[in-house]
Amino acid sequence: MTALGIADYGLIGDLHTAALVGRNGSIDWCCAPRFDSPSVFAALLDPARGGRWRISPAGSWTSAQRYLPATNILETVFHLTGGVAHLIDFMPVGPARGASTEIHRRIHCPRGSVALDVVFEPRFDYARRRPWLAARRCGVVATDRFEQSLTVASGGDVAWHVDGERATAHLRLEEGHDAWFVLRFDDDDVHPVDDYEPQRRLETTARWWDSWLSQSRYRGAFRLEVERSALALKLCCYEPTGAIIAAPTSSLPESPGGTRNWDYRYVWLRDAAFVLKALDALGFSHEADRFLHFLRRIGRRGSDRHVQVMYTVDGHREMPELILDHLAGFGGASPVRIGNAAVEQFQLDVYGEVLETADAWRRARTLSEGTWQVLRHLVEDCAARWREPDQSIWEPRDQPRQYVYSKVMSWVALDRGARMAAALGHAADAARWSAEADTVRAEVLSRGWDAGRGTFVQSYGAPYVDAALLVMPLVGFLPPSDARVRGTLSAVRAELRTSCEELIYRYRAPDGITDRAGTGEGAFLFCSFWMIQNLALAGERAEAERLFRNLLRRASPLGLLAEQIDPASGLQLGNFPQALSHAALISTALIVDRQGPAA
């Protein structure tokens, strides 16, 4: 089998961490015990050094993957001469989850006879610590001889052979038979596989996912895509604190062989706000409740400091960016990075995204005094700082500018803050913030508009357009029918278009990031969804639905989306799956549905 692409993986998780499973039966990415912990499997970023856990048939075969209906339980089906093998992969959640993360794998032969190879090669701390492996009566134990350990329990008569840093097993399954494997983190003793009750926990996990998804009130034309997106977003939730990560991977490249390789295993407040808005619109309220708990927590910690762009899943502010030179990178795309230097940036728009989501949340709930004080602090901070230049939504690594998107979202922060203050009886705050919002709006309409070209621009006085400008009608800054909104939509489609009409780039302006010759980022899915939302709101419903369906066909066979798409090849690019892409899919489906049947 040739090297896997990003779209050749499925995601499993337990709301603490996640793993990517290739259609070759190999777990090539997993960090434990939480999303932003060091990896124990990272073949995704270096097939030779990164480490993996593969279960696949011996010899030649073909395969396909699917999720069991209404779950995040992954099934890989192998077809080979003489038989068929079904591999089930899942992490127990809800009542099925114990005190630590586990990965359960069942290989079953429904027809014929299959010979199988199992390769277990953990590599601790992003493959910076050499593992020690030992075979036990019931499986294998692996440790880094310092502080980390994990075990694999195996059922039946599986015989393991340990050769240095690699454990292998070979088995044959006859028709109707199966074998279980259970990996357990932070354990140094291997118990019989039946002690872990894998079949019962599979059934309990399936019921939990089905019960969670049943809360969705979506009944529109794109139900399968919306439900899969909701399930993918839930896998990005960190249950202990209510945090929501941007993606469960690091350094998947935004162009083949390129250098734009970033670590997304953190909580971007912006991305989380878009996710919560989408989930809340579907009827999932628990996630928003939990995230406001997270927001209060970081608000208390940072009461004397400005709000950050991102945080760790437990609310800490530090995530220094490091380059891992010993890893080759996905498809040779280097450098591989962990941590993210964008944490040091000032991004003014974050206030708007968080406060818009909070305002929508409070309309159906009661704000606690503690929550209101955190939100009030954000509004006051925005009122004091909105005139400053910033790095805005796309995090360029050059000097700050007066970005129009950031000013629009500052208006959102002040406008929504005024709404909440008025609803809570704080008339003075409401009047002051409303007046400041009017000032912001007047400045954007004056300095952000290029009358000669008939479009808003990326930053004051700049010659570039930016797909982020499409947010204006979505947040109510201007109505969809406004000539300035229509002009900006036309300019974005003309100047940021790709060879595929449903895909657009986010911008073409210099951003301070050096690319290798012949590389550059792909079309940005979030912006492509925004373009379709603009078309639908402007009354072009038939065109919006046509482009939306084209875009949905860009998803992986499992219905998952990365951050970007290469328009030339159709390859998915960037970290995967990307929460922002799936949140935008849900929001777009709701808007397209709301416009009624196409004419």
Side-chain angles (χ1 to χ4, degrees):
M1 182 176 176
T2 58
L4 299 184
I6 291 172
D8 291 321
Y9 286 91
L11 186 72
I12 59 173
D14 65 350
L15 312 184
H16 289 69
T17 189
L20 285 182
V21 186
R23 61 184 181 89
N24 60 353
S26 183
I27 296 178
D28 287 347
W29 179 256
C30 185
C31 301
R34 62 188 212 186
F35 293 109
D36 53 2
S37 297
S39 66
V40 292
F41 302 118
L44 186 72
L45 299 180
D46 192 317
R49 301 182 186 89
R52 63 172 56 79
W53 180 20
R54 178 172 58 84
I55 301 175
S56 61
S60 60
W61 42 266
T62 60
S63 68
Q65 288 182 312
R66 72 177 187 112
Y67 283 108
L68 300 190
T71 77
N72 279 311
I73 297 170
L74 184 66
E75 181 179 51
T76 307
V77 179
F78 298 98
H79 294 272
L80 59 156
T81 302
V84 175
H86 290 200
L87 175 64
I88 292 288
D89 284 294
F90 73 100
M91 292 184 183
V93 294
R97 190 183 189 276
S100 66
T101 287
E102 296 177 1
I103 299 177
H104 290 231
R105 316 191 76 182
R106 184 188 75 183
I107 188 76
H108 173 69
C109 176
R111 186 171 71 250
S113 174
V114 294
L116 298 157
D117 294 327
V118 183
V119 178
F120 181 62
E121 300 176 297
R123 297 290 183 268
F124 296 104
D125 191 23
Y126 306 107
R128 291 184 293 190
R129 292 183 180 175
R130 301 178 71 89
W132 176 83
L133 275 67
R136 297 287 188 258
R137 181 176 59 86
C138 302
V140 177
V141 61
T143 177
D144 64 359
R145 295 181 184 269
F146 292 95
E147 57 187 37
Q148 288 190 301
S149 62
L150 53 85
T151 60
V152 171
S154 51
D157 56 356
V158 175
W160 289 93
H161 173 69
V162 173
D163 182 8
E165 300 172 355
R166 188 174 194 248
T168 57
H170 308 281
L171 62 152
R172 176 172 290 277
L173 290 180
E174 303 298 332
E175 186 170 320
H177 289 77
D178 56 28
W180 278 98
F181 298 83
V182 175
L183 181 145
R184 185 176 174 86
F185 291 94
D186 296 323
D187 201 351
D188 56 7
D189 194 12
V190 188
H191 301 279
V193 74
D194 288 343
D195 287 3
Y196 301 103
E197 301 182 280
Q199 184 61 39
R200 180 189 65 80
R201 295 169 81 183
L202 170 61
E203 295 166 359
T204 303
T205 296
R207 286 194 299 270
W208 190 91
W209 281 117
D210 182 74
S211 176
W212 180 82
L213 188 61
S214 69
Q215 300 173 67
S216 174
R217 54 175 175 247
Y218 182 80
R219 300 294 183 269
F222 310 99
R223 186 166 178 173
L224 290 178
E225 294 86 354
V226 165
E227 290 185 348
R228 178 48 53 197
S229 289
L231 285 162
L233 292 177
K234 185 61 174 175
L235 284 178
C236 293
C237 296
Y238 183 66
E239 190 174 58
T241 65
I244 300 173
I245 60 167
T249 58
S250 175
S251 294
L252 291 182
E254 296 176 9
S255 61
T259 61
R260 295 173 182 256
N261 316 318
W262 317 109
D263 191 348
Y264 276 18
R265 299 170 300 145
Y266 304 109
V267 187
W268 269 257
L269 296 187
R270 171 195 308 112
D271 296 43
F274 282 117
V275 168
L276 293 173
K277 186 177 180 181
L279 288 177
D280 197 54
L282 297 180
F284 298 103
S285 59
H286 173 74
E287 289 68 28
D289 296 343
R290 294 289 294 140
F291 188 77
L292 281 177
H293 170 79
F294 177 80
L295 197 62
R296 287 196 300 272
R297 182 177 182 179
I298 63 174
R300 289 194 297 270
R301 287 182 174 179
S303 58
D304 59 341
R305 303 164 68 182
H306 69 80
V307 64
Q308 283 194 174
V309 179
M310 70 185 86
Y311 296 83
T312 63
V313 294
D314 60 355
H316 285 89
R317 301 172 72 98
E318 292 77 29
M319 55 204 76
E321 185 171 294
L322 303 174
I323 290 177
L324 302 182
D325 288 322
H326 65 289
L327 295 179
F330 182 89
S334 62
V336 170
R337 294 181 175 94
I338 55 172
N340 201 304
V343 71
E344 302 296 334
Q345 293 185 354
F346 173 51
Q347 296 176 16
L348 187 60
D349 63 286
V350 169
Y351 297 109
E353 285 111 4
V354 171
L355 286 158
E356 183 185 28
T357 299
D359 181 46
W361 179 90
R362 63 94 192 164
R363 292 175 205 168
R365 304 165 182 87
T366 301
L367 279 181
S368 70
E369 183 177 356
T371 300
W372 170 242
Q373 289 305 318
V374 171
L375 297 176
R376 187 181 186 280
H377 174 75
L378 295 180
V379 185
E380 290 284 28
D381 207 19
C382 180
R385 303 193 68 183
W386 72 263
R387 292 176 175 84
E388 297 179 28
D390 76 325
Q391 265 106 0
S392 200
I393 185 172
W394 305 135
E395 302 178 350
R397 298 202 169 188
D398 59 2
Q399 73 272 23
R401 303 180 192 278
Q402 298 285 1
Y403 285 99
V404 172
Y405 176 82
S406 293
K407 306 307 182 189
V408 170
M409 296 310 294
S410 296
W411 173 85
V412 170
L414 293 162
D415 177 77
R416 296 338 184 241
R419 287 185 195 176
M420 286 189 283
L424 294 170
H426 303 295
D429 283 342
R432 182 164 49 88
W433 294 337
S434 182
E436 196 71 13
D438 289 342
T439 302
V440 178
R441 188 175 186 275
E443 180 175 295
V444 170
L445 295 178
S446 171
R447 300 183 63 189
W449 173 252
D450 186 331
R453 296 168 62 200
T455 181
F456 286 99
V457 291
Q458 184 182 60
S459 59
Y460 294 167
Y464 307 103
V465 296
D466 188 324
L469 299 167
L470 299 176
V471 77
M472 289 183 171
L474 306 180
V475 297
F477 185 83
L478 287 171
S481 59
D482 190 286
R484 291 164 293 186
V485 170
R486 300 298 295 268
T488 301
L489 175 59
S490 295
V492 166
R493 295 187 75 185
E495 298 182 29
L496 300 180
R497 63 188 175 190
T498 71
S499 56
C500 304
E501 58 184 343
E502 71 273 14
L503 295 171
I504 61 173
Y505 296 110
R506 52 182 175 171
Y507 59 84
R508 293 187 186 274
D511 59 10
I513 302 171
T514 302
D515 292 308
R516 291 194 182 95
T519 66
E521 68 175 25
F524 209 79
L525 283 167
F526 186 59
C527 296
S528 301
F529 283 120
W530 266 0
M531 175 185 69
I532 294 166
Q533 292 175 32
N534 271 247
L535 288 169
L537 291 173
E540 300 181 42
R541 205 277 187 188
E543 176 74 350
E545 181 174 348
R546 183 179 69 84
L547 295 181
F548 187 38
R549 292 190 181 279
N550 286 348
L551 204 52
L552 293 177
R553 285 192 281 270
R554 298 283 184 175
S556 78
L558 289 169
L560 301 178
L561 292 167
E563 183 179 45
Q564 302 177 21
I565 295 286
D566 181 353
S569 66
L571 292 176
Q572 300 224 22
L573 300 171
N575 286 303
F576 177 83
Q578 176 79 1
L580 208 54
S581 298
H582 284 284
L585 184 155
I586 292 170
S587 298
T588 305
L590 292 169
I591 288 174
V592 171
D593 282 336
R594 204 159 53 232
Q595 303 312 304

